[in-house]
Amino acid sequence: ATADSGIPAAGAEVAFQFLHSELVSFLLREQLQGGGGGPATVQQCRAQLSKLETMGFRVGQAYVEKMTKDLPRFRDDLEIVKFLCKDFWASLFKKQVDNLKTNHQGVYVVIDEKFSLLVPMARGKQYLDRCHLYTAFPCGLIRGALTNLGLRAIVTAEVEELPRVKFQIQLVQHSA
């Protein structure tokens, strides 16, 4: 099987993982160079996370638009989230999510037991404190995709053990 670009699927997955890793590394280097080489301030860290999340948001919007251009409209929020967990996830990460939980009140928890962007870091606990850098872009991807599908959401990620990630999607209700 090949990706839409004509690149074999395995090659596209490795290219995506490498691009993501280099994007995070670039922003970390930028932060250190701009900060005079000292420890990063909380504001600098938040700014870098915001950049990654914003990039992911734009990519997620464009990607889901391409994926859904020939599909009928989704009936409800749950159908959109299921599409995200099956088709969208499989297209980006070459597997479906491992678990989807909901409280049926606008909160969804998406669990990926072997999140591909964290697998290379899963050899020890020394990288656990940097996981937020590697999940900011995917949080943006999810939020961008949902926004394009008509749902406003707050998306956060929690990593307690590598490479397992819990993405929490909290839908923001439109005020009437």
Side-chain angles (χ1 to χ4, degrees), residues 83-138:
F83 167 81
L84 184 91
C85 293
K86 292 179 181 179
D87 301 310
F88 183 78
W89 212 263
S91 181
L92 284 172
F93 304 114
K94 308 305 174 223
K95 67 186 266 313
Q96 294 180 4
V97 300
D98 295 301
N99 201 347
L100 170 63
K101 297 179 181 183
T102 182
N103 66 358
H104 300 288
Q105 296 176 356
V107 177
Y108 298 90
V109 178
V110 175
I111 300 171
D112 191 328
E113 297 290 342
K114 291 185 179 177
F115 187 57
S116 64
L117 298 178
L118 295 183
V119 167
M121 300 166 54
R123 290 175 178 70
K125 294 186 181 215
Q126 71 268 29
Y127 299 112
L128 207 50
D129 63 336
R130 289 193 170 189
C131 288
H132 62 286
L133 295 167
Y134 291 87
T135 57
F137 186 84

Side-chain angles (χ1 to χ4, degrees), residues 51-67:
K51 282 183 185 179
L52 286 166
E53 201 272 346
T54 300
M55 287 182 217
F57 179 83
R58 290 183 197 145
V59 171
Q61 279 187 311
Y63 196 76
V64 83
E65 184 171 330
K66 181 180 177 184
M67 284 186 72

Side-chain angles (χ1 to χ4, degrees), residues 13 18 20 42 57 63 68 78 81 95 105 119 123 129 156 169:
E13 182 179 5
F18 180 73
H20 179 261
V42 172
F57 179 83
Y63 196 76
T68 59
L78 182 58
V81 174
K95 67 186 266 313
Q105 296 176 356
V119 167
R123 290 175 178 70
D129 63 336
T156 57
I169 301 168

